[in-house]
Amino acid sequence: MKTRSFSTFKYNYRAPGSPVEGPIRFAAGQTMLGSVLIGRSQRGICSIFLGEDVQALRDQLGEAFPAIELQADQPLLQHEVNQIVAFIDQDVTEGVINLDIGGTAFEQKVWRVLCSIPTGQTRSYSEVARNLGAPEAVRAVAGACAANVLAIAIPCHRVVRSDGSISGYRWGIERKRALLAEESAEESAV
């Protein structure tokens, strides 16, 4: 895998707290990290979930967007699934991937900081909080990382504990460990 280029994404942030425009259509694919399920609103990809079981990922989508109608639509979303799989596996995409990003105002601030962490590097939750000008907000930063529903596109896998150890990751600590090891090795090779 090559170093991921986040310029592949167009980050469209909704007004903080505003709901996603439904319905959400969803489709699945297979990556080197396991199954991927994407959800697409009228504005763009609003979720990227990673796991082993597509039905469990679909259930997570329903939990993340409980008030929105979900519609399976593999044919309509196949191109976008292919884009996400290519991005995850090879950092090769055809065209820009539009993201529809919700969250609170604080979550959006955290996610913007996460997107600025260079490939191959990490930041602690404390460093992210200090970068936001809110050094006391370490737990809130961790909560924002946990609330992220756009795996890899918003690189919360690059946030670690102050001692450098790997902590929670919505899509599994082993995936986080693999992503960090791969990104670090790629940057060392450059």
Side-chain angles (χ1 to χ4, degrees), residues 1-71:
M1 182 193 315
K2 299 179 198 172
T3 300
R4 291 184 182 86
S5 170
F6 289 92
S7 62
T8 298
F9 295 109
K10 181 177 180 191
Y11 292 86
N12 300 304
Y13 288 87
R14 278 182 263 128
S18 66
V20 68
E21 295 176 30
I24 294 175
R25 290 175 171 31
F26 66 91
Q30 191 64 36
T31 75
M32 65 180 218
L33 296 173
S35 296
V36 62
L37 184 120
I38 68 165
R40 187 183 197 301
S41 71
Q42 294 175 12
R43 297 182 63 204
I45 303 295
C46 60
S47 64
I48 303 170
F49 290 142
L50 298 170
E52 298 306 319
D53 178 62
V54 173
Q55 183 57 50
L57 295 176
R58 193 267 176 234
D59 293 345
Q60 289 177 38
L61 181 66
E63 291 168 11
F65 300 97
I68 305 295
E69 178 187 356
L70 303 178
Q71 299 174 351

Side-chain angles (χ1 to χ4, degrees), residues 8-153:
T8 298
F9 295 109
K10 181 177 180 191
Y11 292 86
N12 300 304
Y13 288 87
R14 278 182 263 128
S18 66
V20 68
E21 295 176 30
I24 294 175
R25 290 175 171 31
F26 66 91
Q30 191 64 36
T31 75
M32 65 180 218
L33 296 173
S35 296
V36 62
L37 184 120
I38 68 165
R40 187 183 197 301
S41 71
Q42 294 175 12
R43 297 182 63 204
I45 303 295
C46 60
S47 64
I48 303 170
F49 290 142
L50 298 170
E52 298 306 319
D53 178 62
V54 173
Q55 183 57 50
L57 295 176
R58 193 267 176 234
D59 293 345
Q60 289 177 38
L61 181 66
E63 291 168 11
F65 300 97
I68 305 295
E69 178 187 356
L70 303 178
Q71 299 174 351
D73 201 336
Q74 195 74 35
L76 180 71
L77 296 177
Q78 191 60 53
H79 175 71
E80 287 160 310
V81 168
N82 293 343
Q83 284 181 299
I84 296 295
V85 169
F87 176 75
I88 291 171
D89 288 355
Q90 303 164 354
D91 187 33
V92 176
T93 61
E94 185 179 307
V96 172
I97 301 169
N98 287 308
L99 299 178
D100 177 8
I101 304 168
T104 66
F106 183 80
E107 288 168 342
Q108 289 182 4
K109 287 178 186 176
V110 170
W111 298 337
R112 283 184 170 102
V113 169
L114 302 185
C115 290
S116 73
I117 301 171
T119 302
Q121 295 184 25
T122 61
R123 300 290 183 271
S124 70
Y125 295 98
S126 298
E127 289 172 314
V128 173
R130 282 193 304 274
N131 188 293
L132 291 167
E136 71 290 344
V138 175
R139 287 184 191 261
V141 166
C145 290
N148 174 25
V149 294
L150 287 158
I152 316 263

